[in-house]
């Protein structure tokens, strides 16, 4: 299992771009990188998934360098409503029983 | 409909009570999950159902008993719980077991054991 390491918390201001980095040094060849967002007292919500290079959707971008030992979730122009915990997960569909959330990063967006 | 619903939203029960948590999805998903989440901690996987059959039990104490009556419903039966079992219980579903990485979560049931 690829262990993930994220910063415990980050602060930002409205309108800024936020980049949250996740380290996964022992990522396996078949592993994908997935990010979830969780607001207080709600279930997590799938944000984005990628394997290599860059993935972008309407919510975020995911940057993965060539060695895949880390990944960066980029949130453009954050607002107060982006205050949440962001989890990075690494694994493949074969080992679905190993769907473990890491400790997550608490993002605080200030006005 | 991309919603997973959970009832009740809140539950307070004594250590001798028997209660059940309910989860429902109508997305045609064939994998369903139960998680437990303590305050300021990440969700912890408890059970996985694949095609209505229990496929994963993450060494959960027998006082938690899952049940999957059909492909849309998932229950968690609770009996003789301890105060340390107080937590947010989350249900999730995915299209099938191989789509585990894109799960849809419900809002959770906030359980307090007194």
């Amino acid at each position: 299992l690829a262990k993930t390491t994220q910063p415990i918390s980050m602060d930002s201001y409205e309108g800024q771009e936020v980049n949250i980095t996740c380290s996964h040094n022992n990522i396996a060849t078949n592993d994908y990188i997935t990010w979830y967002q969780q607001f207080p007292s709600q279930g997590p919500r799938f944000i984005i998934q990628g394997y290599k290079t860059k993935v972008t959707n309407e919510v975020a971008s995911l940057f993965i360098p060539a060695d895949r030992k880390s990944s960066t979730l980029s949130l453009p122009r954050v607002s107060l409503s982006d205050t949440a915990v962001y989890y990075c997960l690494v694994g493949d569909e074969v080992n679905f029983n190993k769907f473990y959330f890491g400790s997550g990063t608490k993002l605080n967006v200030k006005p | 409909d991309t919603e997973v619903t959970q009832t009740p939203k809140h539950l307070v029960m004594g250590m001798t009570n028997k209660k059940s948590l309910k989860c429902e999805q109508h997305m045609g998903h064939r994998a369903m999950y139960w998680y437990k989440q303590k305050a300021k901690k990440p969700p912890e996987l408890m059970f996985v159902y694949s095609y209505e059959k229990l496929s994963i039990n993450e060494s959960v104490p027998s006082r938690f008993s899952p049940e999957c009556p059909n492909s849309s419903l998932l229950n968690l039966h609770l009996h003789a719980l301890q105060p340390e079992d107080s937590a947010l219980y989350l249900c999730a579903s995915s299209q099938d077991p191989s789509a585990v990485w894109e799960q849809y979560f419900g809002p959770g049931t906030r359980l307090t054991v007194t």
Side-chain angles (χ1 to χ4, degrees):
Chain A
L1 250 190
K3 177 177 164 56
T4 60
T5 303
Q6 303 174 234
I8 294 174
S9 65
M10 294 181 67
D11 289 332
S12 181
Y13 290 93
E14 283 190 292
Q16 289 187 331
E17 179 185 71
V18 170
N19 296 309
I20 305 174
T21 297
C22 179
S23 173
H24 28 79
N25 289 319
N26 58 340
I27 188 169
T29 303
N30 294 331
D31 286 348
Y32 281 76
I33 300 152
T34 309
W35 286 80
Y36 276 75
Q37 173 193 56
Q38 186 176 25
F39 297 114
S41 297
Q42 291 188 28
R45 181 176 75 109
F46 173 88
I47 300 177
I48 198 166
Q49 183 180 58
Y51 182 79
K52 61 180 179 179
T53 62
K54 177 183 174 183
V55 179
T56 297
N57 61 24
E58 64 278 6
V59 176
S61 294
L62 178 59
F63 297 92
I64 305 167
D67 66 6
R68 304 199 329 120
K69 292 184 183 300
S70 66
S71 59
T72 299
L73 175 73
S74 181
L75 305 171
R77 297 179 298 281
V78 294
S79 64
L80 295 175
S81 63
D82 291 314
T83 293
V85 178
Y86 293 82
Y87 294 101
C88 163
L89 296 92
V90 173
D92 65 59
E93 68 272 12
V94 175
N95 296 304
F96 66 89
N97 55 319
K98 303 300 184 184
F99 187 75
Y100 291 145
F101 284 85
S103 54
T105 297
K106 176 66 166 59
L107 173 64
N108 298 302
V109 180
K110 303 175 183 178
Chain B
D1 182 7
T2 59
E3 190 180 22
V4 174
T5 60
Q6 290 188 244
T7 54
K9 285 188 175 7
H10 301 275
L11 178 63
V12 179
M13 61 185 289
M15 290 190 285
T16 58
N17 292 158
K18 285 185 181 181
K19 297 285 185 183
S20 296
L21 309 184
K22 180 180 172 181
C23 172
E24 196 164 4
Q25 56 87 14
H26 295 287
M27 295 177 279
H29 287 178
R30 304 308 300 274
M32 296 186 76
Y33 313 79
W34 279 115
Y35 290 84
K36 173 183 177 180
Q37 186 173 28
K38 302 282 275 184
K40 299 189 186 302
K41 297 291 186 183
E44 297 175 16
L45 184 64
M46 299 174 72
F47 302 104
V48 178
Y49 272 84
S50 300
Y51 299 96
E52 295 94 70
K53 294 191 187 311
L54 182 64
S55 59
I56 300 292
N57 177 339
E58 288 286 297
S59 302
V60 179
S62 59
R63 57 186 184 267
F64 295 91
S65 176
E67 178 196 21
C68 189
N70 59 57
S71 60
S72 300
L73 278 175
L74 188 65
N75 297 320
L76 186 62
H77 302 298
L78 314 173
H79 172 58
L81 294 193
Q82 304 296 311
E84 60 264 28
D85 295 321
S86 298
L88 181 68
Y89 287 84
L90 294 161
C91 172
S93 69
S94 65
Q95 188 172 359
D96 56 54
S98 67
V100 63
W101 299 100
E102 186 168 356
Q103 293 185 25
Y104 292 77
F105 282 80
T109 293
R110 177 74 61 188
L111 174 68
T112 303
V113 181
T114 60

